[in-house]
Amino acid sequence: MKILLVAVNAKFIHSNPAVYSLRAYAQSFLHVRGGERTGAFCKCGEGMRGEKPEILIGEYTINQQVDDILGDIYRKAPDMLCFSCYIWNISYIERIVREIHKVLPETEIWLGGPEVSYDAKETLLRLPEVSGVMKGEGEETFAHLASGEPPEGLAGITYRNREGKICENPWRDVMDLNKVPFIYQDMTDFEHKIVYYESSRGCPFQCSYCLSSLDKKLRFRDLELVFRELQFFINRRVPQVKFVDRTFNCNHEHAKAIWRYISRHDRGITNFHFEIAADLLDEEELRLISRMRPGLIQLEIGVQSTNPETVGEIRRKMQFARVAEHVKRIRRTGNVHQHLDLIAGLPFENFDSFRKSFRDVYALKPQQLQLGFLKVLKGSFMSENQESYGLVCQSGPPYEVLRTRWLSYDEVLRLKGVEEMVEVYYNSGQFTNTLPVLEEGFGDAFALYERLSEYYEDRKLNRIHHARAARYEILLTFGKEAFPEQEERLRELLTYDYYLRENAKSRPAFAGEYRMEKTVLRRFYEKEAEEHRYLPEYEQYDRNQMRKMTHLEHFAELGEMVLFDYNRRDPLTREARTVIIAKK
């Protein structure tokens, strides 16, 4: 028997830990069962005797052609086919399911994941090709299915019986997280991909827009197991490990133990990503964070809104004053990348209220600010209250908000424009010196990004894919139209920002003519090769090699001559080290 677990990811760099976890647990489960009857569950209860099933994984992306995926699945010829379903891939998977059934009509098809768990019956009515849905946590359910157990008494499934009737079985109790095998024995499948890890499941909070609030049983993996598994990543120099724990620091002792461990065993390579509630951080946690190697961890912090009425209505427990205090304190240490989130379209949040939320969070100057839009997820408290909120969302995935009682669709579109400009100009980290000047000119950041969005729309620039240097050119043109008296200052700031990141030997057009005379450049590098006054770590290099690894620029408006050193970059921003050679 052959079972194929299929993941359709949003991007190539993503992986799907769920399918690997299902396979690892099932293989362990079937091994323990030993000589018992095994074989894939087929035709709703007709078990297949024989050898233990072969369980394969097929990972694809939504950017691939459906024909290519169909052909690959067909050639694998599975007897049982299981799909992992989320809002970003369900439409794609439904199309694959309909087509693959035509060429593999005898293959059992099962679905699982959050996008089908909470409306399993409706999913089966919509997709007659599907035999059943695994609801919620899937490891134990899949293991029993793979062992050939009949569906009648199997918890955690909704299935179609031999007569075609849809049968709803009870949900399965959550499992002991320590029983889930570590899925990363062989890193070959995860090269050049983000590695995900969980040390807990469930969430103690009840945010109305989130499905994690439905899992009331918060569970933690034993720390001894966690330490062994984290050491595996550290030893293999994995670039980044992304914890998928919903609120990592909800258990202070658990969080502190893990942070202490990775700090003590750090080898200077692996970065660990955590989703946290910043207001929950205690003094010891803040001290631990302050002592970490720059780049050892990064923190994702969901603020969502700073409107107290909104925060109360979505049943979110957050003290924004404490969030702001802790984010600022962490930022002052300069060693941690912080990513803060906002959600537009929440109850009681109108355009002006959201603009204030944006200003409040932007003032904290995180490395990234994600302006997201409410997704009305099946099974969430938010979906049950759509009518009272006047909440209208897209009919299909990702079920994104279109309008509410407080926010019109026109205003949603305005916020979409702001979102795009924030992503391009703020989150890219490429304009750190130019943006503050423009913000001051427009009065605040929100006004800047809204006006920039209108500028893109008026000139149809938002319909074109722009090269990186073109973004600088556009911002210069935008800035000099708004503030013509600032043109040369803005040009120099953009040039400064460009060379902070780019060791470019081909000068971009927006920067204008290069003002450094060749004789001055030659003398500088000749002298530096002898004295190493500004580049003490470059003693093994000659003047020509040093020139290739650095850039010297004269800024008349700023009154500085600056050396950009690309061998010494900031571990968080990747900006070059800068040395002022001369000042007015």
Side-chain angles (χ1 to χ4, degrees):
M1 288 301 303
K2 186 188 292 185
I3 302 174
L4 180 63
L5 296 167
V6 175
V8 183
N9 302 321
K11 298 178 181 178
F12 172 78
I13 62 168
H14 296 166
S15 58
N16 184 316
V19 292
Y20 288 92
S21 187
L22 292 184
R23 180 174 69 175
Y25 185 85
Q27 287 173 336
S28 174
F29 178 86
L30 293 167
H31 176 74
V32 169
R33 286 208 158 184
E36 294 184 28
R37 187 182 87 174
T38 59
F41 166 35
C42 184
K43 297 302 177 189
C44 297
E46 298 174 7
M48 291 191 175
R49 297 182 180 274
E51 297 179 359
K52 284 183 286 190
E54 178 186 10
I55 304 175
L56 307 176
I57 288 175
E59 282 201 273
Y60 310 97
T61 79
I62 58 175
N63 301 309
Q64 290 180 255
Q65 294 293 321
V66 170
D67 282 351
D68 294 339
I69 298 176
L70 284 175
D72 193 63
I73 293 173
Y74 177 81
R75 283 188 288 272
K76 287 181 169 66
D79 300 291
M80 182 179 181
L81 185 56
C82 306
F83 290 90
S84 182
C85 303
Y86 302 87
I87 55 173
W88 65 80
N89 68 13
I90 185 63
S91 298
Y92 204 85
I93 284 174
E94 288 191 7
R95 183 178 170 193
I96 294 171
V97 163
R98 291 189 176 100
E99 303 305 332
I100 199 67
H101 181 70
K102 296 173 184 176
V103 292
L104 293 174
E106 299 303 314
T107 297
E108 288 280 331
I109 300 177
W110 283 80
L111 307 181
E115 185 52 28
V116 294
S117 288
Y118 300 96
D119 66 342
K121 184 175 181 180
E122 290 77 6
T123 298
L124 293 180
L125 288 171
R126 188 172 68 251
L127 294 170
E129 301 86 357
V130 174
S131 300
V133 171
M134 291 176 262
K135 302 181 292 190
E137 206 167 56
E139 284 91 350
E140 291 183 324
T141 303
F142 173 70
H144 286 278
L145 277 176
S147 71
E149 291 189 23
E152 288 79 13
L154 188 56
I157 66 168
T158 297
Y159 69 100
R160 202 186 310 274
N161 68 14
R162 281 171 289 197
E163 289 74 43
K165 180 183 176 182
I166 295 174
C167 305
E168 288 258 22
N169 288 2
W171 284 63
R172 180 177 295 276
D173 288 339
V174 297
M175 66 185 297
D176 178 353
L177 200 53
N178 295 314
K179 293 181 179 179
V180 178
F182 185 57
I183 64 174
Y184 296 106
Q185 305 301 327
D186 180 1
M187 296 302 295
T188 306
D189 292 332
F190 303 97
E191 288 184 14
H192 311 300
K193 292 190 176 185
I194 298 171
V195 170
Y196 299 96
Y197 180 78
E198 63 178 348
S199 72
S200 68
R201 281 186 187 173
C203 184
F205 303 114
Q206 297 182 335
C207 302
S208 64
Y209 53 84
C210 181
L211 292 181
S212 294
S213 64
L214 302 178
D215 186 351
K216 304 295 190 299
K217 296 182 180 178
L218 179 59
R219 295 145 286 152
F220 296 88
R221 199 162 173 81
D222 283 351
L223 284 170
E224 287 307 312
L225 267 179
V226 173
F227 295 158
R228 282 205 304 272
E229 291 161 359
L230 296 183
Q231 193 62 49
F232 175 91
F233 298 132
I234 293 167
N235 291 345
R236 282 155 184 79
R237 303 167 71 87
V238 173
Q240 185 181 58
V241 176
K242 202 164 188 176
F243 275 66
V244 295
D245 303 41
R246 299 313 303 160
T247 306
F248 175 75
N249 62 324
C250 64
N251 181 314
H252 291 288
E253 296 312 310
H254 182 83
K256 283 185 277 198
I258 290 173
W259 281 342
R260 287 191 203 101
Y261 186 89
I262 62 175
S263 293
R264 290 170 184 163
H265 296 82
D266 177 36
R267 295 187 177 179
I269 301 295
T270 306
N271 164 267
F272 295 91
H273 176 105
F274 302 94
E275 293 184 34
I276 68 162
D279 52 329
L280 295 185
L281 290 168
D282 63 25
E283 187 60 31
E284 186 180 355
E285 287 168 332
L286 288 165
R287 283 198 301 269
L288 272 172
I289 290 170
S290 71
R291 294 194 293 264
M292 289 178 179
R293 165 181 64 83
L296 174 60
I297 70 168
Q298 61 188 50
L299 301 176
E300 183 171 349
I301 300 164
V303 178
Q304 320 317 4
S305 172
T306 65
N307 179 351
E309 195 173 9
T310 297
V311 171
E313 182 64 22
I314 62 177
R315 308 192 295 188
R316 182 168 177 76
K317 296 180 179 179
M318 180 197 67
Q319 301 175 53
F320 181 68
R322 281 179 61 81
V323 171
E325 176 191 348
H326 292 166
V327 168
K328 289 176 183 176
R329 182 168 165 181
I330 293 168
R331 183 173 178 82
R332 283 196 296 270
T333 67
N335 65 334
V336 175
H337 174 107
Q338 295 185 95
H339 174 136
L340 272 58
D341 297 331
L342 286 170
I343 297 178
L346 294 171
F348 298 102
E349 188 93 275
N350 60 25
F351 190 84
D352 289 338
S353 166
F354 187 83
R355 176 164 48 198
K356 181 182 182 306
S357 291
F358 179 94
R359 288 168 173 165
D360 290 341
V361 174
Y362 193 90
L364 302 180
K365 296 299 180 186
Q367 277 74 23
Q368 283 202 304
L369 196 170
Q370 182 172 336
L371 197 170
F373 291 81
L374 177 65
K375 312 292 190 296
V376 186
L377 304 177
K378 299 171 186 176
S380 68
F381 179 81
M382 188 68 69
S383 69
E384 296 172 4
N385 289 269
Q386 281 184 250
E387 188 174 347
S388 64
Y389 296 148
L391 175 53
V392 177
C393 67
Q394 296 171 355
S395 299
Y399 315 109
E400 193 169 273
V401 63
L402 296 172
R403 59 183 170 85
T404 71
R405 276 172 47 196
W406 303 273
L407 196 67
S408 69
Y409 183 55
D410 180 70
E411 290 168 330
V412 167
L413 291 177
R414 287 168 66 188
L415 292 178
K416 289 273 187 182
V418 172
E419 175 203 23
E420 184 180 357
M421 295 300 99
V422 168
E423 190 64 28
V424 168
Y425 287 101
Y426 183 81
N427 289 343
S428 67
Q430 295 168 7
F431 304 90
T432 50
N433 294 282
T434 309
L435 289 177
V437 173
L438 291 173
E439 290 165 22
E440 184 180 351
F442 280 94
D444 71 29
F446 190 91
L448 162 63
Y449 294 115
E450 188 171 23
R451 183 66 194 96
L452 191 52
S453 170
E454 292 166 359
Y455 181 85
Y456 265 69
E457 180 68 31
D458 292 344
R459 290 157 180 76
K460 298 181 172 52
L461 295 170
N462 53 353
R463 303 175 191 179
I464 303 169
H465 176 74
H466 300 283
R468 182 176 295 184
R471 299 288 191 186
Y472 290 82
E473 187 73 54
I474 292 168
L475 196 59
L476 176 60
T477 306
F478 167 79
K480 71 183 183 184
E481 286 186 16
F483 311 107
E485 73 286 358
Q486 295 266 48
E487 179 178 350
E488 286 310 309
R489 185 184 181 203
L490 289 171
R491 186 189 307 279
E492 286 201 349
L493 286 168
L494 283 164
T495 302
Y496 191 100
D497 281 336
Y498 185 80
Y499 282 110
L500 265 179
R501 289 152 192 84
E502 303 290 335
N503 184 10
K505 301 310 175 188
S506 174
R507 192 167 180 81
F510 74 84
E513 290 186 14
Y514 189 39
R515 296 192 181 102
M516 297 294 300
E517 294 181 10
K518 291 182 179 180
T519 54
V520 173
L521 275 175
R522 186 175 64 253
R523 281 200 301 269
F524 172 82
Y525 284 106
E526 284 176 350
K527 190 173 183 180
E528 190 60 22
E530 295 174 1
E531 299 179 358
H532 298 287
R533 179 181 175 188
Y534 302 106
L535 300 169
E537 302 86 2
Y538 282 63
E539 290 184 355
Q540 69 270 38
Y541 301 115
D542 63 30
R543 66 178 186 181
N544 293 324
Q545 290 171 318
M546 283 192 290
R547 187 169 178 178
K548 288 178 181 177
M549 293 183 284
T550 62
H551 176 75
L552 193 62
E553 182 82 25
H554 179 254
F555 298 98
E557 290 289 317
L558 302 178
E560 296 176 350
M561 185 159 68
V562 179
L563 179 68
F564 298 87
D565 177 6
Y566 300 107
N567 269 17
R568 297 277 300 279
R569 291 182 181 267
D570 185 289
L572 298 187
T573 65
R574 302 304 300 157
E575 291 180 354
R577 180 178 74 105
T578 56
V579 183
I580 297 175
I581 304 301
K583 202 174 179 74
K584 261 185 189 173

